[in-house]
Amino acid sequence: MNNEIQLTTMLLFCGSIGVLVALSIFAVQRQLRFQRALEARREKLRVDEGLVGFTDTAPLKYYHVTINGVNSDSGRAVIAVTNGRLLAMQRRETLSLLFSFPHDQLRWFGRPQKYTDGINEIWLHYETENGWKLLKLWMHRAVMQDVVRALKTISPPELVTAYRRRRPYIHAEPITAHPAAQDIHGAWTLAEPVMLYLMPRFLLILDGETVLRKIPLEAVQQIGALRRLDQPGAQGLLRFHAEEETFAFALDQHEAFANAVADAAKRTLEAPMERKQKGKDDYEDEDE
């Protein structure tokens, strides 16, 4: 009886070892297939599109969101930057495309925080035919530096300059606002609501996903936060001048939003940060 128990135990143990070995072999084979697929895709992008950056040295996360919508995804991705676009692929053997943005749609990119030795974050704004998109990517420092170098290689000078400006970068979540017009008697008339979205280079006027107006912040002047004399209890007003027009909007927290617009507009006129020399205690590799 004891011999039978020992034999059964030995068979179960051997079976377990066999299963583990089989699973290990399967995992290794799967990783090898993935690496072959990855190298094949890398080579195809290099030949077909002119590869500028390609990274899978660490797990990546991404978040893809419309400014006013609910389109969001997160997961692991392989990021590539070619001469024409930034794309992300599923980190699987199929390497199926998750999203792709042409560089001519890129309107701003920047890292909200200084580089850390852990996970770093970058935000990218795109103006597409389907509206304004915000893409957020998270990756380890070395990977992030490779991606930033690639983005700077393909970006026009104004985007590189905006990237180098001092933090914090100014973002204000989309806020409902009513375009306002004043008559000769001082009374204000409000139009149908739109959304105002402030990001580091533009003040956007949105109707749902549609960009109605994209106002460069360096053109924004005479920014004011006003209280309505005709209706003292109503929403306050944001008023400014840009591109030979005067704009006015009624919105909640008008003073805070006006201050944010003024701060963002001022920063677009500042010279970007100078790169500090290596070896200094306060050095931060901002250009990487």
Side-chain angles (χ1 to χ4, degrees):
M1 184 68 175
N2 288 337
N3 290 337
E4 292 179 357
I5 293 175
Q6 290 176 354
L7 179 60
T8 301
T9 301
M10 184 176 295
L11 290 173
L12 289 173
F13 176 75
C14 291
S16 299
I17 294 297
V19 170
L20 290 175
V21 170
L23 289 175
S24 298
I25 292 173
F26 175 77
V28 169
Q29 290 176 336
R30 183 176 182 182
Q31 181 62 23
L32 288 174
R33 288 195 299 270
F34 171 72
Q35 289 299 329
R36 286 194 293 268
L38 195 67
E39 289 304 316
R41 182 61 62 88
R42 185 202 302 263
E43 181 63 15
K44 181 172 176 57
L45 288 171
R46 186 189 68 80
V47 172
D48 293 350
E49 301 186 36
L51 193 60
V52 181
F54 188 93
T55 183
D56 185 54
T57 58
L60 308 173
K61 296 190 299 179
Y62 65 93
Y63 183 72
H64 178 204
V65 60
T66 59
I67 294 301
N68 294 314
V70 294
N71 178 18
S72 63
D73 302 285
S74 62
R76 301 176 72 184
V78 177
I79 304 297
V81 180
T82 73
N83 285 329
R85 60 176 176 153
L86 177 144
L87 62 151
M89 297 163 283
Q90 252 183 347
R91 202 178 182 280
R92 297 177 183 173
E93 292 175 43
T94 56
L95 289 169
S96 55
L97 186 67
L98 294 167
F99 53 80
S100 172
F101 290 105
H103 296 321
D104 61 7
Q105 294 180 348
L106 181 61
R107 298 295 177 261
W108 182 84
F109 67 94
R111 294 178 295 105
Q113 305 296 329
K114 293 182 179 181
Y115 276 123
T116 69
D117 291 332
I119 298 298
N120 292 264
E121 180 179 4
I122 189 169
W123 290 19
L124 301 99
H125 286 265
Y126 290 93
E127 183 181 9
T128 78
E129 61 274 10
N130 296 318
W132 199 272
K133 312 295 183 186
L134 173 60
L135 175 64
K136 300 180 183 181
L137 298 173
W138 292 267
M139 58 197 77
H140 291 295
R141 179 171 182 158
V143 182
M144 177 71 76
Q145 288 173 325
D146 288 342
V147 170
V148 169
R149 288 190 195 103
L151 288 171
K152 290 172 64 180
T153 298
I154 57 83
S155 296
E158 60 269 21
L159 289 188
V160 178
T161 296
Y163 170 81
R164 289 175 174 164
R165 294 196 190 282
R166 66 183 177 90
R167 296 184 186 84
Y169 299 126
I170 304 299
H171 283 86
E173 292 296 322
I175 186 170
T176 301
H178 293 262
Q182 190 176 30
D183 64 23
I184 59 174
H185 304 292
W188 291 92
T189 301
L190 305 185
E192 291 298 312
V194 294
M195 302 295 292
L196 296 182
Y197 180 59
L198 177 63
M199 49 84 68
R201 292 188 64 222
F202 300 103
L203 176 62
L204 304 176
I205 305 174
L206 306 171
D207 180 11
E209 297 298 323
T210 303
V211 179
L212 299 177
R213 192 77 177 257
K214 182 181 63 182
I215 303 173
L217 286 172
E218 63 267 22
V220 177
Q221 301 175 338
Q222 302 172 25
I223 304 159
L226 312 175
R227 295 189 180 277
R228 291 182 59 176
L229 298 179
D230 60 333
Q231 294 186 35
Q235 291 176 313
L237 297 165
L238 162 69
R239 187 166 65 181
F240 60 89
H241 186 81
E243 298 180 325
E244 300 183 354
E245 294 183 50
T246 297
F247 297 83
F249 297 91
L251 67 160
D252 295 332
Q253 300 179 339
H254 68 292
E255 291 181 344
F257 198 87
N259 288 336
V261 172
D263 192 9
K266 178 182 177 182
R267 291 184 184 210
T268 64
L269 304 178
E270 295 176 350
M273 294 175 58
E274 293 292 334
R275 183 173 180 174
K276 299 172 184 176
Q277 297 202 356
K278 293 184 178 180
K280 300 294 184 180
D281 291 339
D282 59 353
Y283 171 74
E284 186 207 345
D285 211 355
E286 281 296 336
D287 269 353
E288 299 297 336

